[in-house]
Amino acid sequence: MSPSTGRNLDSVLPMSGTAPHIFRKRPAFVRVISRQASKPAITSALRALMVFGVVFGLAVLYGYTHFYRDPGSVFFDPKHAFVRWYSEYREQEAKQYIDEAAKSPDELAKSPGHPKTGSNPAICATFTTVIRDAKEPYIETSIGSTLQGLSIAERSDLNLSLLFASLDPAQHPTYHKAWVRDVVDHAYGYNDVLNAEDIAQLSSFEAQGAWQSKSSFDYRLALRQCYDHSSSPYIAIFEGDIILADGWMVRTLKALRDLETQMKADTKKADGDWLFLRLFNQERSTSWASRSLGANYEAPLSILLACIAYAVLKLVRGRSNLVRKQLDASAIMVICLVAIPSFVILFFQSGKASLLPPKAGVREELFGCCSQGLVFNRERIPALIDFLHTYEAIQYDLATKAYAKMNNYSMFSLYPVQIQHIGSRSSRPANHDEAKAVWSMAFESLEPAQLRSEHQKMLLDLYDTPR
């Protein structure tokens, strides 16, 4: 027995031989050591999250300040996306050309770029214009930008016509302006080239409001006139509400040369198995397949990249003491489970046109929008006209692409785009926003000085002369 308590010691200690409850609780210093041991993991994860937050935040800020023009981007801002930069600069050049043509036709005739088409022009181009309710007719700016800056050699290679696509062309505000016929090679209306039956058909289209059929008729007429009255190997149709960039002519001719080279190298197609070269495209047509969150295989791509990153980081961590000290398992989890999926989503949501813009040059493309400026292969014109006539109730740009796909003809696009659509009013029924949305953000980023320099270099390459 214990002298102090008078009780048997066995009655105090448990029969199982385990320590009393007071001894089974961890001492304070053990708990402190345990907490200290867990702090590095927490600190490492927090540090990784903080770094991720800063980098991700900067990326988002960059997107807001640089990708707001891209309609395929989550950062698209319609209030600022349509601000005109290069197109406004080019419009001023076009208007200066028009003013000189209107005020001093004699002086214009002496200018280098004024001589009209040569004996064997490479391109026969036609503008189609209708009466619009704009204060200043778009067609005048379009013609000015087409001719301003052309060298003598370029102008000689261009046969330029203007179709007034109205039953009463005299109502068109540009029809009676003398300078127009001074600068284009041929200006005509329906009465100049159509018989009474065709004019009656057009009257019926207008009376019925069949604008798709009328537009198709105009397009076929422009194609037919160039085909019948020129021998040019290329036929271009331009809509009357566009602006062309400085150097567009020589750049287009070089693109056509490159296109022909590509076709000869294509063993699956004959040399002439192409339909058109597109000079305008919009970013809405070149964006990702979907803008929805989680689309574009974002989840499987995130998983794949996370697995690769995990394996690489674990390997590096096992071989480097420095990396092992800075990067523990919790930090790796932050990278793989938070950072990588977030950046994958941000990549696709930022817009394809912003992050992966098309490379300069000519390339085959099955997709694309609109008919602001197409340069056709002359060999395909007769059959195309017949096809458009058969399907005249279909929008002619859609019908043209359908014809190419049905016959396995290649379609090409030129980058950077050489045309901007400036018309907010359409020749067929369309609301203001729809017409305005046909827009190229890349065109607005063109630099005038760079274009002038490239224009001179391409002239030397193609014509062996800068003029």
Side-chain angles (χ1 to χ4, degrees):
M1 293 181 64
S2 171
S4 60
T5 60
R7 289 185 298 171
N8 192 324
L9 188 61
D10 293 339
S11 64
V12 177
L13 298 176
M15 296 299 295
S16 62
T18 59
H21 177 70
I22 187 172
F23 295 121
R24 284 190 284 121
K25 185 176 181 180
R26 291 184 302 173
F29 76 90
V30 174
R31 295 197 300 273
V32 170
I33 293 175
S34 178
R35 286 197 298 269
Q36 293 292 336
S38 65
K39 280 185 178 180
I42 297 174
T43 302
S44 181
L46 287 175
R47 184 169 60 246
L49 281 172
M50 290 175 62
V51 171
F52 158 73
V54 170
V55 175
F56 190 81
L58 291 174
V60 170
L61 181 62
Y62 185 88
Y64 271 113
T65 56
H66 288 77
F67 303 155
Y68 62 90
R69 286 181 173 272
D70 186 354
S73 172
V74 70
F75 303 110
F76 178 68
D77 181 3
K79 293 182 179 179
H80 301 96
F82 299 104
V83 174
R84 296 176 57 194
W85 290 347
Y86 179 67
S87 64
E88 190 170 81
Y89 176 90
R90 186 61 176 160
E91 183 174 356
Q92 294 306 312
E93 289 187 322
K95 287 182 176 180
Q96 183 178 357
Y97 176 91
I98 294 169
D99 291 341
E100 292 176 359
K103 294 177 181 178
S104 306
D106 294 335
E107 291 297 321
L108 182 69
K110 301 175 184 178
S111 64
H114 180 67
K116 294 192 176 183
T117 187
S119 58
N120 189 28
I123 297 178
C124 177
T126 299
F127 275 101
T128 60
T129 179
V130 298
I131 300 173
R132 303 170 190 254
D133 58 341
K135 294 181 179 179
E136 295 184 14
Y138 295 130
I139 186 61
E140 297 181 12
T141 302
S142 299
I143 293 174
S145 67
T146 303
L147 298 175
Q148 195 280 331
L150 291 188
S151 68
I152 296 176
E154 288 174 295
R155 186 62 183 92
S156 180
D157 254 339
L158 176 65
N159 182 353
L160 183 62
S161 296
L162 174 60
L163 167 59
F164 290 97
S166 303
L167 289 171
D168 184 6
Q171 298 299 317
H172 196 290
T174 306
Y175 184 78
H176 295 290
K177 295 185 178 181
W179 68 264
V180 173
R181 287 162 179 79
D182 287 335
V183 299
V184 303
D185 298 300
H186 185 42
Y188 61 97
Y190 293 145
N191 292 327
D192 299 314
V193 295
L194 297 179
N195 56 39
E197 182 179 351
D198 288 333
I199 292 178
Q201 179 68 70
L202 285 167
S203 298
S204 176
F205 287 152
E206 289 198 359
Q208 298 172 13
W211 301 112
Q212 302 283 20
S213 298
K214 181 186 180 301
S215 296
S216 178
F217 187 102
D218 295 339
Y219 209 76
R220 301 195 310 270
L221 176 61
L223 288 170
R224 174 64 67 185
Q225 288 297 305
C226 257
Y227 185 83
D228 289 345
H229 300 287
S230 80
S231 58
S232 300
Y234 308 111
I235 294 176
I237 307 298
F238 296 145
E239 295 194 355
D241 56 352
I242 63 172
I243 283 184
L244 287 99
D246 181 18
W248 75 270
M249 180 66 179
V250 67
R251 197 181 293 268
T252 298
L253 290 174
K254 281 181 59 62
L256 290 167
R257 186 177 64 179
D258 294 342
L259 180 160
E260 299 282 6
T261 301
Q262 290 184 32
M263 291 302 302
K264 290 179 180 179
D266 189 346
T267 58
K268 297 181 180 179
K269 294 184 178 181
D271 292 354
D273 283 353
W274 65 277
L275 183 60
F276 62 72
L277 170 68
R278 188 187 303 277
L279 303 187
F280 170 85
N281 211 347
Q282 59 176 6
E283 284 72 24
R284 291 191 303 175
S285 301
T286 59
S287 60
W288 302 115
S290 174
R291 287 183 58 187
S292 301
L293 193 65
N296 304 306
Y297 304 101
E298 291 174 3
L301 183 59
S302 297
I303 294 172
L304 175 62
L305 293 177
C307 290
I308 294 174
Y310 180 80
V312 171
L313 292 174
K314 289 290 287 184
L315 179 64
V316 173
R317 186 173 181 271
R319 295 185 177 184
S320 171
N321 291 330
L322 178 62
V323 174
R324 189 181 302 112
K325 292 178 180 179
Q326 300 297 324
L327 202 66
D328 63 6
S330 64
I332 293 177
M333 289 299 101
V334 170
I335 294 172
C336 296
L337 300 182
V338 179
I340 288 179
S342 298
F343 278 108
V344 167
I345 293 173
L346 180 63
F347 175 82
F348 286 102
Q349 291 298 309
S350 293
K352 183 179 179 180
S354 296
L355 295 179
L356 300 173
K359 293 182 179 179
V362 62
R363 55 188 288 183
E364 184 174 355
E365 282 186 339
L366 296 177
F367 51 84
C369 170
C370 315
S371 53
Q372 271 61 36
L374 299 178
V375 183
F376 291 93
N377 179 0
R378 178 186 180 85
E379 298 177 9
R380 303 300 164 207
I381 296 301
L384 174 61
I385 290 174
D386 292 340
F387 184 86
L388 293 177
H389 188 201
T390 302
Y391 297 96
E392 67 179 11
I394 301 176
Q395 203 166 303
Y396 58 80
D397 56 335
L398 300 179
T400 300
K401 287 194 292 185
Y403 173 76
K405 292 178 180 179
M406 287 176 58
N407 292 278
N408 196 31
Y409 292 149
S410 297
M411 296 174 283
F412 290 86
S413 296
L414 173 60
Y415 294 100
V417 296
Q418 296 300 293
I419 287 176
Q420 180 65 292
H421 175 237
I422 58 172
S424 59
R425 301 163 184 84
S426 176
S427 59
R428 53 181 178 263
N431 61 47
H432 175 86
D433 292 338
E434 179 184 346
K436 183 180 177 182
V438 181
W439 179 262
S440 169
M441 75 167 186
F443 188 91
E444 298 303 323
S445 299
L446 296 176
E447 294 289 342
Q450 181 179 350
L451 288 178
R452 283 192 294 271
S453 175
E454 292 174 350
H455 189 179
Q456 296 301 308
K457 291 178 181 179
M458 287 185 288
L459 285 174
L460 286 171
D461 179 47
L462 194 66
Y463 296 110
D464 294 326
T465 175
R467 298 188 61 185

